[in-house]
Amino acid sequence: MRCEICGKKIVEEPIKTKVDGSIMLTCKECSKFGKVQREAPKPKRPGAPRGGTLRRIQRPKEPAEEVVENVKDIVRQARERKGWSREELGEKIYEKASVVSRIESGKMVPDLKLARKIEKLMNIILVEKNEDVSADGLGHSKVRGATIGDIAQIKKN
Ligand SMILES: [Zn+2]
């Protein structure tokens, strides 16, 4: 191994020296002409954000609200409990009896506005928060790719 600057034989470890922008292997004497590189230069990481930041960005402000799956059964049972006909219920929610029929037969899912109207009227629950996007920070599991464990967790909630 010879010094790349003076050509002298290097007995010990050659010194990596940066001279005019290029790295040279030099003897101790010649390392004074440039900047000694102590280690292999590492790519700089300009303060990458560490965990947590991403999660917060991807979480929606509020969990989505959805009309419950068995809305047809709940509405029919609540109506029958009150002894109302479909026409009577329709009048109270300012909808036609045919709308009530379609809801109770599952042909139609009421939108959130109508569902809330029925909820209030009959004191039942028709709208629930979509726990898929849970408020405790598990929302990022979708991004990561949900595992079976995650799915079980979501359903439990
Ligand atoms: Zn030299």
Side-chain angles (χ1 to χ4, degrees):
M1 183 74 227
R2 284 178 184 276
C3 170
E4 287 179 9
I5 291 179
C6 68
K8 223 161 69 177
K9 199 171 180 184
I10 302 168
V11 184
E12 294 169 38
E13 284 290 296
I15 297 166
K16 275 186 189 171
T17 308
K18 195 172 186 180
V19 183
D20 288 335
S22 54
I23 307 284
M24 299 181 107
L25 296 173
T26 70
C27 66
K28 203 175 174 187
E29 294 300 307
C30 295
S31 70
K32 289 170 189 167
F33 298 124
K35 201 179 176 203
V36 176
Q37 308 291 297
R38 300 200 180 276
E39 282 172 32
K42 283 175 188 168
K44 276 187 182 174
R45 286 172 161 225
R50 304 183 77 172
T53 314
L54 265 180
R55 188 181 301 177
R56 211 161 296 133
I57 291 164
Q58 282 158 353
R59 196 201 297 175
K61 282 169 199 155
E62 280 177 27
E65 290 187 318
E66 281 183 349
V67 176
V68 293
E69 252 177 74
N70 53 343
V71 58
K72 61 186 177 95
D73 299 321
I74 296 173
V75 171
R76 186 178 46 77
Q77 283 162 18
R79 182 180 57 77
E80 286 171 355
R81 212 160 44 222
K82 291 197 180 279
W84 297 342
S85 67
R86 286 174 177 174
E87 285 75 16
E88 279 175 301
L89 174 58
E91 273 174 35
K92 292 176 201 294
I93 58 173
Y94 308 105
E95 298 288 349
K96 288 176 194 159
S98 64
V99 171
V100 178
S101 299
R102 275 156 66 203
I103 292 171
E104 290 187 0
S105 63
K107 283 177 190 157
M108 175 189 156
V109 176
D111 60 20
L112 283 175
K113 205 177 151 194
L114 180 56
R116 287 200 184 287
K117 218 193 293 185
I118 302 170
E119 264 188 338
K120 231 174 161 181
L121 178 71
M122 304 211 278
N123 198 26
I124 53 177
I125 303 282
L126 293 181
V127 179
E128 63 180 11
K129 293 213 163 115
N130 184 356
E131 293 293 343
D132 207 59
V133 194
S134 59
D136 60 4
L138 286 171
H140 65 288
S141 59
K142 266 189 174 175
V143 180
R144 202 182 53 208
T147 64
I148 289 167
D150 286 329
I151 292 160
Q153 188 74 35
I154 289 161
K155 282 189 174 165
K156 227 189 286 173
N157 293 337

